[in-house]
Amino acid sequence: MAVAKILWVDDEIESLQSQKLFLEHKGYAVETLTNGFDAIEYVKDNLVDVMLIDESMPGITGLETLARIKEQYSQLPVILVTKNETENLMDEAIGSQIADYLIKPVNPNQVLLSLKKIIDNKRLVAEKTTSAYQQQFRELFMALNSNPDHNEWMELYKKLVYWELEMEKSDSPEMREVFQTQKQEANTEFCKYISRNYASWVDPKAADAPIMSHQLFRFKVLPHVEKGIPVFFLLIDNLRYDQWKAIQPIFAESFRIQEEETFYSILPTATQYCRNAIFAGLMPVDIEKQFPQQWKNDDEEGGKNLYEEDFFRAQLKRLRKEDTRFSYNKILHHNDGQQLVANVHNLLQNDLNIIVYNFVDMLSHARTEMEVLKELASDETSYRSLTKSWFEHSPLHQALKKIAEKKVKVILATDHGSVRVNTPRKVIGDKQTTTNLRYKHGRNLNFDPKEVLAFKDPKEAGLPVPNVNSSFIFAKDDDFLCYPNNYNHYVNYYRNTFQHGGISLEEMIVPIIKMVSKG
């Protein structure tokens, strides 16, 4: 490991020789100077890892030295050392982006701890992350093999997401590989679990089933609606739980997160099914019965999500909550987002404001079709990073900041997640068979029954029957469904893209978050 170079600037440096020797004994190379002017010149020609500056020096103060150095070398970590404990100085130092702040007299271990935080932080965190996951590995393995129920699966997935995010701090490719293998095993077991239980969950007489898309408003949103405190229900299309964790710190700046839960998306994990189910409060088979003109199957012409507001109004009526004053806002383009920012204060008059935001879904589809986005979002880590960057600079974030000072509640959810697909599976069907990669429905489908979850009678899955003898099949794990025609071309085109519609932890276990404004 390379020796870290420390520059210590203090007009009384002679009295700190014992500290210099202590740090050199600990393996650091320490250069000392007595004034800020020399320090500014020194860093022009010499590589420095960390700089310690005394605040009170003749000629040019520590803060002035810091400002001059940061103009040229903004990434250089600087520790300010001072006798002055006034709040003004602390505020100014923090505003000048210091790395740490030490009060004189400092003892050697204080300086050592500060240097370790700055220089060795990543290495120490990486080592601790790797050893902590090694200890957790067996616990996760035991949990996966103890026949978890639907609540335990949600907790397991949260733990897997936690470790996936922690693994970004690890510098061990071997441990990352071990984790990915464990996550794949979890998905395989989850797919078996869903295959065994899904039909019983969607049975209207189900006794033990999780909260699913069609029950979301009834059990997780409407109970929080009360007169006098506006509720903003924010549905970000296609937002996975790990993507929520990526944007959570941005929300936490303005909102206090009270409940961080998950629910199960219905199958297919596709917008036209899940989102219509959320707003109608009904499974798709019942939506088709009650709204035969508005419901469109995959193979029918016309928009599939054009009547969400009508469906929601009917759900309120059915639940005898038709006096709820609500607004419905769908954001499909940047201009819609800007209009939301301009209009958001007017929404405070409503009991409930629904905002449907389509960006993440557009991102996953654009990533499939655009090479540049495939490069930018080549894996889960970069996909999360792109989501975070979008949200930070989005009109949605601007709109939320505008209401954060008012007394409001925010409930964030999604309709489904997505999974990165890698394994092609052959399916044969007639011309009416749908083109989706993670689920298909049609007549005379030919497939390997071990590779998919199949419903010969779609009603068993709570789904409409598009044509006589139509059946539905759902891809599992990281599989994607391809036809034999031009097979290799489509396999290469769609491999390593984010898709949704099938069965995986990422697609089915999705976030529902309750927050209140700090204001």
Side-chain angles (χ1 to χ4, degrees), residues 12 29 146 204 228 288 336 364 368 389 393 395 425 451 473-474:
E12 298 173 345
S146 63
E288 189 201 38
D336 300 337
S364 70
T368 301
S389 179
H393 305 287
R425 303 292 186 187
E451 294 173 352
I473 60 170
F474 300 98

Side-chain angles (χ1 to χ4, degrees), residues 71-91:
E71 282 174 15
Q72 300 295 321
Y73 310 99
S74 60
Q75 299 307 310
L76 175 61
V78 177
I79 301 167
L80 195 70
V81 185
T82 179
K83 290 177 184 169
N84 190 341
E85 293 185 59
T86 63
E87 193 175 346
N88 282 349
L89 179 67
M90 289 181 188
D91 288 348

Side-chain angles (χ1 to χ4, degrees), residues 142-150 152-153 189 193 196-197:
M142 298 287 284
L144 283 173
N145 288 280
S146 63
N147 194 24
D149 63 19
H150 57 77
E152 289 164 334
W153 268 115
E189 289 305 312
Y193 174 75
R196 289 194 304 268
N197 292 284

